C-alpha cells in the first residue's frame, strides 16, 4: 500500500499512529512535524486547521485533549480537493495484531475516527447513487468495516480476559442449557424482565419441557440422524475400496 | 457489538444508559423535496431515536442541533428477481435535523453577529446547502504526451462528424 515515496500518503493506520504518538509519547515536537508531512486523512483533519494548536504544545507534557477541528457538518464530506476525483488513495485496513498494541483510550478514539470516516463514505455512496455516477474508490467502505469489526474483536477479547480474571465468568450474558418442546437441548440466553418469570404470561407460553407425546417423534428423529450418519460412513468406505482397486499402490487414507 | 444488541432494561431511578463505541452510522442525503435552509436530511438506522440523533451530532460532530423529526420510509416488497421471488428493499428511517445558533442565551449579552431591529433580536441562522461533490475537474494533460495527442485526435473526429452549418439543419438524406 505505501509503496510510494515517503512524502506520499501513508497508510490509514500509519497516519493514525503518527497522530497518536502525540498522546502517548513525550516527543511532541517530532510528532507535530510528522503530522505536517503526512497527507490524506490528516489533511482532512488539518484543513482548514488553525495550526496554532500544535505550536503551544512545546515541552514535555501531555496535552489534555487533542481536538483538531470543529468543522461540523463538513466532516460528512471528503476534503474539497478530492471532490470530482475518480479515485482516492487510501491505506490498508487495521489488522487485529496492530490493534492489540493500542491502549484502550486509543482504541476508543479510533472507533470514532473510523465511524466518522464510515459516515463520510456512506454519504458519498448515496450521493453517487443519486447522481448516477460511480463512487470514487468504493473499497474504502470495506476496509473501514473490517477495521471496525477487528477493533470490536480486540475489545471483546480484553473484556473477556478481564471478566475471567475478576469473576471467573466465561460468558458476558448469563444463560442455561434448556430443552425445548421438541426435545432438543440448546443454550438459552437470559433476558432482563421487569417481572418474575412466574408472572410473565408470554414466557410461560414458551414451555422449556418436552411433553410425553413428543417421545415417538424424538425416536424417529434420532433414527433419521443415525441413518444419515451411517450412509455417509458407508459411502466413504465404498469410495476407499473402489480407489484401492483402481490404484493398488495408493496408501489407505485415514478418516 | 454488531449483532442484535439488547440494552439493559430501564426502570425509573436507573442510571442513564451510556453507549460506548456506538455502532450506528448516519448518512447525509440530498433532500428529494425542497427543504428549509436550516434543515439537514439524514438516513439513520431504525434503532435510533430523535434523542439519539441529537446526542450523536452534538457529541461526535459538535453540531448544535435544534429540532429533530423522524419518519420511517417503507420500501417495496413487490419487486421480483429472476427466480420470480419477492425481493424486499430494506426500509430506512429518515431524520430531518434543524440547526440552531450555538449561543442560545441571548438575553444576557449581544453576540457579535446579532442584529437588533426595534425590540426583536434577530440571530443569524445556520444554513446548510448540500454541496455538489461530483463536479468534473478540467484535466490538462502534459504537452507532447500520448494523452494530449489522443485528446486532440478525438476532438478532430468530433469536428469532422458535425454537420455542415451552411445547410441550415437539413440532413444529408435530402439530396443536394
Amino acid at each position: 500500500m505505501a509503496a510510494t515515496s515517503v512524502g506520499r500518503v501513508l497508510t490509514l493506520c500509519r497516519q493514525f499512529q503518527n497522530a497518536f504518538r502525540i498522546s502517548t509519547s513525550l516527543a511532541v515536537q517530532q510528532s507535530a512535524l510528522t503530522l505536517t508531512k503526512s497527507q490524506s486523512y490528516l489533511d482532512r483533519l488539518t484543513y482548514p486547521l488553525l495550526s496554532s494548536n500544535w505550536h503551544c504544545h512545546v515541552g514535555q507534557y501531555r496535552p489534555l485533549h487533542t481536538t483538531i477541528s470543529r468543522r461540523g457538518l463538513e466532516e460528512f464530506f471528503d476534503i474539497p480537493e478530492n471532490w470530482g476525483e475518480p479515485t482516492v488513495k487510501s491505506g490498508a485496513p487495521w489488522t487485529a495484531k496492530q490493534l492489540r498494541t493500542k491502549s484502550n483510550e486509543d482504541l476508543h478514539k479510533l472507533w470514532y475516527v473510523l465511524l466518522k470516516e464510515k459516515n463520510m463514505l456512506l454519504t458519498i455512496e448515496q450521493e453517487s447513487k443519486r447522481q448516477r455516477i460511480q463512487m470514487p474508490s468504493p473499497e474504502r467502505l470495506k476496509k473501514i468495516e473490517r477495521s471496525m469489526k477487528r477493533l470490536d474483536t480486540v475489545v471483546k477479547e480484553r473484556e473477556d480476559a478481564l471478566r475471567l480474571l475478576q469473576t471467573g465468568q466465561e460468558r458476558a450474558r448469563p444463560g442455561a442449557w434448556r430443552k425445548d418442546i421438541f426435545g432438543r437441548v440448546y443454550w438459552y440466553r437470559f433476558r432482563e424482565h421487569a417481572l418474575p418469570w412466574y408472572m410473565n404470561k408470554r414466557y410461560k407460553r414458551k414451555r422449556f419441557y418436552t411433553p410425553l407425546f413428543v417421545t415417538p417423534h424424538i425416536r424417529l428423529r434420532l433414527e433419521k440422524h443415525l441413518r444419515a450418519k451411517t450412509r455417509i460412513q458407508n459411502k466413504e468406505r465404498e469410495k476407499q475400496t473402489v480407489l484401492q482397486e483402481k490404484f493398488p499402490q495408493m496408501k489407505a487414507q485415514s478418516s | 457489538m454488531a449483532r442484535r444488541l439488547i440494552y439493559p432494561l430501564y426502570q425509573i431511578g436507573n442510571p442513564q444508559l451510556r453507549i460506548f463505541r456506538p455502532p450506528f452510522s448516519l448518512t447525509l442525503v440530498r433532500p428529494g423535496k425542497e427543504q428549509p435552509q436550516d434543515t439537514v436530511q439524514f438516513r439513520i438506522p431504525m434503532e435510533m431515536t430523535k434523542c439519539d440523533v441529537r446526542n450523536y451530532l452534538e457529541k461526535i460532530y459538535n453540531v448544535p442541533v435544534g429540532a429533530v423529526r423522524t419518519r420511517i420510509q417503507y420500501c417495496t416488497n413487490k419487486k421480483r428477481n429472476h427466480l420470480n421471488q419477492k425481493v424486499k428493499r430494506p426500509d430506512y428511517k429518515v431524520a430531518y435535523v434543524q440547526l440552531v445558533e450555538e449561543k442560545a442565551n441571548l438575553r444576557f449579552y449581544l453576540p457579535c453577529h446579532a442584529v437588533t431591529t426595534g425590540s426583536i433580536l434577530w440571530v443569524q441562522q445556520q444554513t446548510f446547502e448540500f454541496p455538489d461533490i461530483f463536479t468534473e475537474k478540467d484535466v490538462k494533460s502534459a504537452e507532447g504526451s500520448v494523452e494530449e495527442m489522443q485528446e486532440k485526435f478525438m476532438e478532430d473526429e468530433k469536428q469532422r462528424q458535425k454537420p455542415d452549418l451552411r445547410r441550415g439543419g437539413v440532413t444529408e438524406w435530402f439530396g443536394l
Side-chain angles (χ1 to χ4, degrees):
Chain A
M1 288 298 148
T4 51
S5 59
V6 174
R8 287 299 206 102
V9 171
L10 306 173
T11 57
L12 205 63
C13 50
R14 304 281 174 258
Q15 294 163 19
F16 201 68
Q17 278 175 5
N18 285 338
F20 278 111
R21 265 180 231 140
I22 299 163
S23 58
T24 48
S25 75
L26 295 174
V28 178
Q29 294 133 318
Q30 282 176 7
S31 47
L33 281 175
T34 49
L35 251 193
T36 51
K37 272 191 209 155
S38 58
Q39 297 174 29
S40 182
Y41 178 68
L42 282 174
D43 267 359
R44 204 175 301 119
L45 293 184
T46 59
Y47 176 91
L49 168 67
L50 307 165
S51 53
S52 55
N53 278 345
W54 299 123
H55 297 312
C56 48
H57 298 316
V58 175
Q60 308 245 321
Y61 59 88
R62 202 179 288 195
L64 287 171
H65 69 100
T66 51
T67 41
I68 295 169
S69 64
R70 280 199 69 251
R71 283 163 41 245
L73 290 171
E74 282 172 37
E75 284 178 319
F76 277 101
F77 305 99
D78 215 344
I79 45 175
E81 286 135 25
N82 285 348
W83 291 5
E85 298 276 343
T87 47
V88 176
K89 270 194 190 168
S90 59
W94 285 87
T95 60
K97 202 175 166 187
Q98 291 162 349
L99 290 167
R100 278 188 199 109
T101 61
K102 298 291 166 201
S103 71
N104 283 332
E105 288 86 16
D106 286 350
L107 288 182
H108 191 87
K109 289 176 197 173
L110 179 61
W111 179 269
Y112 287 99
V113 168
L114 292 173
L115 189 68
K116 281 198 195 175
E117 182 76 13
K118 188 173 174 187
N119 289 346
M120 185 262 285
L121 293 172
L122 286 171
T123 311
I124 293 179
E125 190 188 24
Q126 188 55 45
E127 180 61 18
S128 62
K129 281 184 192 171
R130 175 70 73 91
Q131 304 291 341
R132 301 193 197 176
I133 293 176
Q134 243 202 6
M135 176 192 171
S137 344
E139 70 273 0
R140 293 182 282 175
L141 258 173
K142 272 197 197 161
K143 289 181 189 174
I144 290 275
E145 271 165 40
R146 280 175 195 163
S147 301
M148 286 175 97
K149 200 110 198 270
R150 288 164 190 169
L151 206 161
D152 211 21
T153 322
V154 169
V155 169
K156 261 201 182 53
E157 280 173 9
R158 290 186 187 178
E159 279 179 2
D160 278 347
L162 207 63
R163 195 182 51 245
L164 275 170
L165 284 170
Q166 287 179 337
T167 58
Q169 297 287 329
E170 284 151 10
R171 295 168 222 265
R173 191 168 161 193
W177 288 106
R178 286 196 186 171
K179 240 190 231 189
D180 63 1
I181 315 180
F182 301 113
R184 293 178 294 201
V185 179
Y186 70 107
W187 180 257
Y188 171 74
R189 291 187 299 164
F190 294 151
R191 290 187 68 174
E192 273 190 80
H193 299 279
L195 318 172
W197 69 268
Y198 48 83
M199 287 165 67
N200 196 340
K201 284 188 188 165
R202 214 226 260 167
Y203 179 86
K204 282 193 281 192
R205 267 184 271 142
K206 208 156 174 184
R207 279 173 290 166
F208 292 105
Y209 56 87
T210 320
L212 281 171
F213 59 80
V214 182
T215 335
H217 164 77
I218 296 173
R219 289 181 70 108
L220 290 167
R221 200 174 61 216
L222 185 67
E223 187 187 338
K224 185 180 181 181
H225 166 75
L226 289 169
R227 273 174 183 263
K229 207 166 90 171
T230 356
R231 196 159 59 226
I232 298 169
Q233 283 172 353
N234 291 344
K235 241 195 197 154
E236 185 60 38
R237 219 182 296 132
E238 276 167 30
K239 191 175 131 193
Q240 284 302 314
T241 38
V242 162
L243 278 177
Q244 278 289 338
E245 279 171 29
K246 266 195 173 176
F247 309 106
Q249 290 100 16
M250 192 185 80
K251 276 182 249 179
Q253 279 182 6
S254 58
S255 59
Chain B
M1 255 254 176
R3 287 199 304 164
R4 257 192 81 232
L5 299 160
I6 294 187
Y7 294 109
L9 199 67
Y10 178 77
Q11 290 172 309
I12 299 173
N14 284 10
Q16 168 74 54
L17 170 68
R18 299 192 193 280
I19 305 175
F20 303 108
R21 302 184 302 117
F24 309 119
S25 27
L26 267 52
T27 313
L28 232 181
V29 293
R30 187 187 286 270
K33 288 190 179 170
E34 199 56 42
Q35 296 289 337
Q37 279 293 310
D38 56 351
T39 307
V40 192
Q41 192 169 333
F42 290 99
R43 280 197 192 175
I44 60 180
M46 292 286 242
E47 299 88 19
M48 281 184 91
T49 57
K50 295 180 186 180
C51 312
D52 288 337
V53 170
R54 176 175 289 124
N55 288 341
Y56 193 103
L57 287 173
E58 280 178 354
K59 300 267 161 64
I60 303 182
Y61 283 91
N62 263 326
V63 172
V65 160
V68 183
R69 296 179 295 275
T70 55
R71 68 176 176 92
I72 296 181
Q73 176 63 55
Y74 169 79
C75 298
T76 178
N77 199 8
K78 219 176 182 182
K79 302 263 172 177
R80 287 175 186 264
N81 61 6
H82 61 284
L83 299 166
N84 207 29
Q85 298 159 339
K86 277 193 184 174
V87 175
K88 164 78 180 164
R89 274 202 194 148
D91 303 332
Y92 55 89
K93 205 183 241 192
V94 181
Y96 301 94
V97 172
Q98 280 192 307
L99 307 166
V100 281
E101 269 302 310
E102 272 179 59
K103 302 197 168 91
N105 38 352
L106 305 163
R107 283 183 221 133
F108 300 105
Y109 62 91
L110 216 70
C112 41
H113 49 257
V115 169
T116 43
T117 45
S119 56
I120 313 164
L121 193 73
W122 295 98
V123 180
Q124 204 180 37
Q125 274 293 324
Q126 271 191 10
T127 54
F128 178 77
E129 213 202 289
F130 199 92
D132 193 12
I133 309 178
F134 296 109
T135 45
E136 278 192 30
K137 300 180 184 173
D138 292 313
V139 179
K140 274 243 151 181
S141 40
E143 280 187 53
S145 65
V146 186
E147 285 97 19
E148 211 220 335
M149 290 198 293
Q150 281 176 349
E151 272 177 43
K152 224 174 166 184
F153 181 72
M154 292 305 292
E155 276 177 38
D156 287 336
E157 280 289 317
K158 278 186 198 155
Q159 204 61 38
R160 221 179 294 163
Q161 280 177 13
K162 278 210 178 90
D164 196 359
L165 288 167
R166 295 172 293 184
R167 289 179 63 81
V170 181
T171 46
E172 294 280 333
W173 189 87
F174 298 101
L176 256 132

